[in-house]
Amino acid sequence: MPRDTPNASDPAPTPTGESRLALVRRARRMYRELSELYPDAHAELNFTTPLELLVATILSAQCTDKRVNQVTPTLFARYPDAEAYASADRDELEGIIRPLGFFRAKANSLMGLGQSLCEHHGGEVPGNLADLVKLPGVGRKTANVLLGNAFGVPGITVDTHFGRLVRRFGWTDEEDPVKVEHAVGELFPRKDWTMLSHRVVWHGRRVCHARRPACGACVVARWCPSFGEGPTDPETAAKLLRMRSFA
């Protein structure tokens, strides 16, 4: 895992050519601005228990949080615990999650998840990374989502939005999600990792879009080495903003 605090004297080259200390200071200044813009950032999947969050996160692969949230009320009512998933009727389960795409693979993951939880964890979701990543359908990204939001264990969740933004920000040039997680983790105290993930993702969904970022309306533009990839005129950029909930 990344160190809790950055080593500002580390001579390793940075993506932008700035000193390591300058990168740390710039990254943290950008994060302070994002914290002011999104003080209430949070996971946009609806859940009330660790199992519900784990299931919702598995279902969110190749699908929007909004669509998952439309399906999970029915799913959670029908399958309230791990045993229910383990003994689920496949046709019924697939019918509920069909609108989310890849429903056969996702049904396999949910049924396997229920069986594994019942066989190895007494039907309860484990609260540590080592056990979580052994569960069907659970990778490191999903495990970090669960740890940070259901168990209060700090973690960096590298999804598509997060990876895109931290590379645009010049915080790292890594492409591999695990390497991104470690590189960005080196820049911030461990206690900030979960909220850092939320705020960067929120900014990616609302302002720093993949194809046309709203550069001219971005609060971190002055510290961003990618400024200019999108419209820089404030009025034009403002029309690209999507400042709404995605839940």
Side-chain angles (χ1 to χ4, degrees):
M1 290 297 292
R3 294 191 296 270
D4 285 4
T5 56
N7 182 356
S9 62
D10 189 346
T14 62
T16 57
E18 63 196 316
S19 71
R20 180 71 177 176
L21 179 59
L23 172 58
V24 170
R25 288 175 172 172
R26 181 173 64 83
R28 293 189 177 189
R29 178 58 188 268
M30 294 175 79
Y31 178 57
R32 288 197 296 272
E33 295 293 328
L34 294 177
S35 298
E36 291 185 11
L37 183 60
Y38 309 114
D40 301 319
H42 56 271
E44 294 186 282
L45 290 168
N46 296 335
F47 71 98
T48 60
T49 68
L51 178 60
E52 288 184 355
L53 178 58
L54 185 53
V55 168
T57 306
I58 291 172
L59 294 176
S60 69
Q62 304 297 316
C63 184
T64 66
D65 290 356
K66 182 177 181 179
R67 289 178 63 193
V68 172
N69 290 339
Q70 292 171 345
V71 168
T72 50
T74 299
L75 184 71
F76 294 161
R78 179 65 184 84
Y79 305 100
D81 52 35
E83 184 177 356
Y85 286 104
S87 60
D89 176 84
R90 175 177 292 277
D91 290 340
E92 181 183 15
L93 177 58
E94 289 183 355
I96 295 173
I97 66 174
R98 184 183 296 269
L100 306 181
F102 301 97
F103 61 92
R104 292 188 179 88
K106 290 178 180 180
N108 285 339
S109 293
L110 295 186
M111 294 173 68
L113 172 67
Q115 292 164 5
S116 183
L117 290 177
C118 289
E119 292 175 5
H120 303 293
H121 302 285
E124 299 297 322
V125 177
N128 64 84
L129 183 68
D131 285 335
L132 284 170
V133 296
K134 295 177 183 177
L135 297 172
V138 180
R140 190 179 184 93
K141 182 185 78 171
T142 298
N144 277 331
V145 169
L146 193 74
L147 290 173
N149 296 282
F151 292 105
V153 178
I156 293 176
T157 302
V158 182
D159 69 358
T160 302
H161 297 290
F162 189 91
R164 180 179 76 250
L165 264 66
V166 297
R167 286 187 286 271
R168 275 185 178 165
F169 291 168
W171 293 358
T172 182
D173 54 8
E174 298 287 357
E175 295 284 343
D176 178 77
V178 175
K179 292 182 179 180
V180 170
E181 177 189 340
H182 283 250
V184 175
E186 291 281 349
L187 305 177
F188 298 92
R190 187 171 182 267
K191 64 181 178 62
D192 291 338
W193 289 351
T194 298
M195 288 307 299
L196 171 72
S197 300
H198 288 320
R199 286 165 176 153
V200 170
V201 168
W202 274 43
H203 198 61
R205 287 176 168 174
R206 291 158 174 80
V207 179
C208 194
H209 313 304
R211 294 186 179 179
R212 204 173 181 214
C215 292
C218 178
V219 298
V220 297
R222 63 180 294 187
W223 301 283
C224 181
S226 300
F227 178 73
E229 285 192 11
T232 59
D233 173 68
E235 291 187 7
T236 302
K239 296 177 182 178
L240 301 175
L241 298 179
R242 302 171 187 166
M243 305 301 285
R244 59 177 177 81
S245 172
F246 283 73

